[in-house]
Amino acid sequence: DTEVTQTPKHLVMGMTNKKSLKCEQHMGHRAMYWYKQKAKKPPELMFVYSYEKLSINESVPSRFSPECPNSSLLNLHLHALQPEDSALYLCASSQEPQPSNQPQHFGDGTRLSIL
Amino acid sequence: GDSVTQMEGPVTLSEEAFLTINCTYTATGYPSLFWYVQYPGEGLQLLLKATKADDKGSNKGFEATYRKETTSFHLEKGSVQVSDSAVYFCALRKPGNQGGKLIFGQGTELSVKP
């Protein structure tokens, strides 16, 4: 069983819609991550939150807007997405951003389809 | 820059065959190394890790040894099962690396036939 919970599991939206992806962990982790994964490819890092503050934005388009309301929750707000944004969106957490010997724990992802 | 290279897939094996998936890395300093597995329709699960040279990670019959001299972290299993069919990702994390960023290899798809 995964300890990082993502909702919804599937999402279909039009290019003009606004929706949000949600991620929750109760392991007391202080670093949380959003990744985008295309089929048969490795995950690509989008954002890193460290102690509820955005520490890394990997040049992600502004139509993706992350939010960390508290240490257990991470949201990804979506607006005016493009068909090429269709992908699996994975959330992950780790005990701390450092040390690097701590693994990241992943959720099962939200499969997003843009019509 | 830092990178991870894995053998190309797909790898197709018969049940009970021996598995090796090669992984080599390029990184300065002392990275920690990880193997993740992704079953169809699921997220990534940590399979095993090693944090320093000569460490051996093991889990569910899988093993990998951190070889600094050859910059490798090859994944092995003595007898694969159909349920091991998945995509396997080798990854590294480095001290001081932006927010603890994971650097992934391209993934190796494994298919095990009965």
Side-chain angles (χ1 to χ4, degrees):
Chain A
D1 288 336
T2 184
E3 296 174 355
V4 176
T5 304
Q6 290 187 244
T7 54
K9 292 194 182 306
H10 302 276
L11 179 61
V12 179
M13 58 187 286
M15 288 191 283
T16 57
N17 292 156
K18 286 185 181 182
K19 295 284 185 184
S20 297
L21 309 185
K22 181 179 172 182
C23 173
E24 195 165 1
Q25 58 88 13
H26 294 289
M27 295 179 281
H29 289 176
R30 304 314 302 270
M32 296 185 76
Y33 311 79
W34 279 115
Y35 288 86
K36 174 183 179 181
Q37 187 182 26
K38 291 285 208 179
K40 309 237 183 208
K41 298 290 186 184
E44 300 170 15
L45 183 66
M46 300 173 72
F47 302 104
V48 179
Y49 271 83
S50 174
Y51 292 89
E52 300 158 49
K53 293 192 187 320
L54 182 65
S55 61
I56 301 288
N57 176 341
E58 293 280 283
S59 303
V60 179
S62 59
R63 57 187 185 267
F64 295 91
S65 175
E67 178 196 20
C68 189
N70 60 56
S71 59
S72 301
L73 277 176
L74 187 66
N75 298 321
L76 186 63
H77 303 299
L78 314 173
H79 174 54
L81 295 194
Q82 303 299 307
E84 61 265 27
D85 297 323
S86 297
L88 181 68
Y89 288 83
L90 292 164
C91 174
S93 69
S94 64
Q95 197 169 354
E96 302 276 340
Q98 301 290 345
S100 61
N101 60 3
Q102 296 299 317
Q104 292 180 16
H105 299 265
F106 286 81
D108 281 339
T110 293
R111 191 161 300 282
L112 178 64
S113 297
I114 307 300
L115 299 179
Chain B
D2 301 333
S3 65
V4 176
T5 302
Q6 294 180 231
M7 63 187 286
E8 285 193 26
V11 173
T12 302
L13 295 173
S14 297
E15 207 164 22
E16 299 184 3
F18 185 86
L19 169 70
T20 301
I21 299 179
N22 291 338
C23 170
T24 57
Y25 68 91
T26 301
T28 56
Y30 302 94
S32 295
L33 302 174
F34 304 88
W35 276 101
Y36 283 88
V37 58
Q38 187 172 30
Y39 298 102
E42 298 185 10
L44 275 69
Q45 296 178 26
L46 177 67
L47 185 57
L48 52 85
K49 71 172 188 177
T51 58
K52 61 183 188 297
D54 300 324
D55 264 3
K56 178 187 280 189
S58 61
N59 185 25
K60 299 181 182 178
F62 291 90
E63 290 184 342
T65 301
Y66 189 165
R67 302 281 188 205
K68 194 160 179 64
E69 64 275 14
T70 54
T71 62
S72 65
F73 192 53
H74 304 321
L75 182 68
E76 296 183 336
K77 186 176 185 184
S79 175
V80 293
Q81 306 300 311
V82 172
S83 57
D84 294 324
S85 298
V87 180
Y88 292 81
F89 292 98
C90 185
L92 69 83
R93 278 182 97 187
K94 223 171 65 167
N97 196 6
Q98 311 172 271
K101 180 176 180 176
L102 266 174
I103 296 171
F104 288 96
Q106 63 267 45
T108 303
E109 184 178 6
L110 171 66
S111 177
V112 180
K113 306 296 185 187

